[in-house]
């Protein structure tokens, strides 16, 4: 469903991604790993259209989408959950979800149900200001919002970064429940979680794809990824 071929990306003169090629099949949950500064966030931002590739192509269901705007890609079902976990702090949780419902012309009730389905506890927080949520609850809200409308491809940047172990378990369970229902490319540094969920792993090193591993049993061995952590 998603195919990158020979993609380069840069910030000004600083080239970050070098000749990145990867593909994701419909319904697959794939992970991107790599050390700090390897270019993981840049890869997701490039796929989401937030950064235009300098070279190469991005195809989505056999259509060229290289250079399309984030808004156009959002309409096609691309959803990016950024690393900074930013929500509208002064709005309530319900109002945050309402914004996603509005962008998708989806009835609010249906949007709320989608978010509550992945994390029932959020129902009791609907009228709380989103700024009062814990980091983990905010992350879950953002993933829930990404499910509003008709998402086809989730791009999630470090969903468990900086979170307490209990919340990491919640997020692992939520991602597990999404597996197979929607395609996903997730940046994650938590190796056990990644190995438990991944259909495919792309390891980035200095902006280049340095290893691709597919299939559950190949991925089960966390030790083979140590050099990228
Ligand atoms: N807006 C920017 N302008 C200039 N350089 C940037 C910008 N964002 C990132 N970079 C540089 O691009 C490189 C890759 O950054 P990127 O954020 O993609 O890495 P990452 O793998 O996501 O790292 P981390 O694990 O810290 O999140 C780094 O050298 C970084 O300093
Ligand atoms: Mg990053």
């Amino acid at each position: 469903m998603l195919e990158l071929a020979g993609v380069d990306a840069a910030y000004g003169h600083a080239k970050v991604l070098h000749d990145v090629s990867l593909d994701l099949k419909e319904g697959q949950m794939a992970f991107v790993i790599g050390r700090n500064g390897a270019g993981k966030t840049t890869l997701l931002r490039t796929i989401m259209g937030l950064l235009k590739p300098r070279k190469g192509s991005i195809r989505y269901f056999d259509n060229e989408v290289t250079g399309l705007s984030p808004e156009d890609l959002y309409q096609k079902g691309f959803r990016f959950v950024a690393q900074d976990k930013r929500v509208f702090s002064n709005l309530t949780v319900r109002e945050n979800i309402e914004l996603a419902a509005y962008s998708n012309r989806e009835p609010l009730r249906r949007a709320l149900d989608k978010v509550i389905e992945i994390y029932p506890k959020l129902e009791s927080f609907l009228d709380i200001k989103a700024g009062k949520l814990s980091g983990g609850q905010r992350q879950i809200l953002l993933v829930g919002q990404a499910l509003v409308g008709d998402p086809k491809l989730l791009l999630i940047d470090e969903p468990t970064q900086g979170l307490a172990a209990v919340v990491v378990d919640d997020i692992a369970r939520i991602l597990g429940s999404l597996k197979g229902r929607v395609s996903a490319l997730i940046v994650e540094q938590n190796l056990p979680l990644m190995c438990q969920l991944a259909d495919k792993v792309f390891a980035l090193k200095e902006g280049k794809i340095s290893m691709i591993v597919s299939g559950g049993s190949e991925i089960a061995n966390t030790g083979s990824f140590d050099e990228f952590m």
Side-chain angles (χ1 to χ4, degrees):
M1 60 137 16
L2 180 76
E3 193 176 350
L4 273 68
V7 169
D8 282 4
Y11 299 100
H13 294 296
K15 214 168 141 193
V16 176
L17 297 181
H18 307 269
D19 200 30
V20 169
S21 298
L22 59 82
D23 79 289
L24 186 68
K25 301 212 175 351
E26 199 171 5
Q28 273 188 330
M29 185 167 274
F31 285 78
V32 180
I33 59 172
R35 295 210 173 136
N36 290 346
K40 306 178 298 295
T41 297
T42 304
L43 174 63
L44 295 195
R45 297 189 72 229
T46 303
I47 296 171
M48 191 64 214
L50 293 159
L51 195 62
K52 305 254 177 280
R54 294 285 169 91
K55 186 173 112 355
S57 85
I58 305 179
R59 298 176 70 80
Y60 174 64
F61 286 116
D62 291 328
N63 293 306
E64 186 73 40
V65 296
T66 322
L68 289 191
S69 69
E71 294 75 20
D72 287 342
L73 292 165
Y74 186 92
Q75 291 306 326
K76 290 184 184 293
F78 286 42
R79 298 285 185 276
F80 177 49
V81 180
Q83 198 167 357
D84 61 18
K85 304 182 181 30
R86 204 176 304 162
V87 294
F88 290 98
S89 303
N90 292 325
L91 299 182
T92 64
V93 171
R94 186 193 306 277
E95 287 163 346
N96 271 272
I97 298 170
E98 210 167 335
L99 288 176
Y102 181 77
S103 315
N104 286 282
R105 296 182 204 88
E106 180 161 290
L108 176 60
R109 187 66 250 171
R110 225 167 93 202
L112 290 170
D113 285 346
K114 275 188 186 163
V115 183
I116 292 164
E117 188 199 334
I118 62 161
Y119 193 66
K121 274 187 220 160
L122 215 57
E123 184 149 33
S124 56
F125 298 136
L126 288 177
D127 295 311
I128 287 173
K129 294 263 196 269
K132 297 258 185 248
L133 296 179
S134 69
Q137 290 164 341
R138 232 176 288 170
Q139 181 65 59
I140 292 167
L141 170 62
L142 289 166
V143 171
Q145 277 180 305
L147 300 175
V148 175
D150 190 14
K152 295 277 199 288
L153 174 66
L154 301 181
L155 303 164
I156 311 180
D157 201 352
E158 306 220 20
T160 69
Q161 188 183 30
L163 302 182
V166 279
V167 197
V168 172
D169 291 344
D170 284 333
I171 294 197
R173 198 175 31 71
I174 290 167
L175 295 177
S177 74
L178 297 176
K179 190 170 157 148
R181 286 167 54 189
V182 56
S183 310
L185 187 61
I186 303 169
V187 173
E188 183 54 71
Q189 306 272 43
N190 180 325
L191 272 185
L193 179 148
M194 182 207 81
C195 289
Q196 178 195 330
L197 294 171
D199 296 308
K200 200 165 191 180
V201 179
F202 302 103
L204 267 183
K205 197 169 192 172
E206 293 163 11
K208 298 192 180 89
I209 298 275
S210 148
M211 186 167 85
I212 300 178
V213 187
S214 301
S217 57
E218 297 284 325
I219 293 169
N221 176 17
T222 56
S224 45
F225 302 109
D226 285 348
E227 68 170 295
F228 301 103
M229 309 312 277

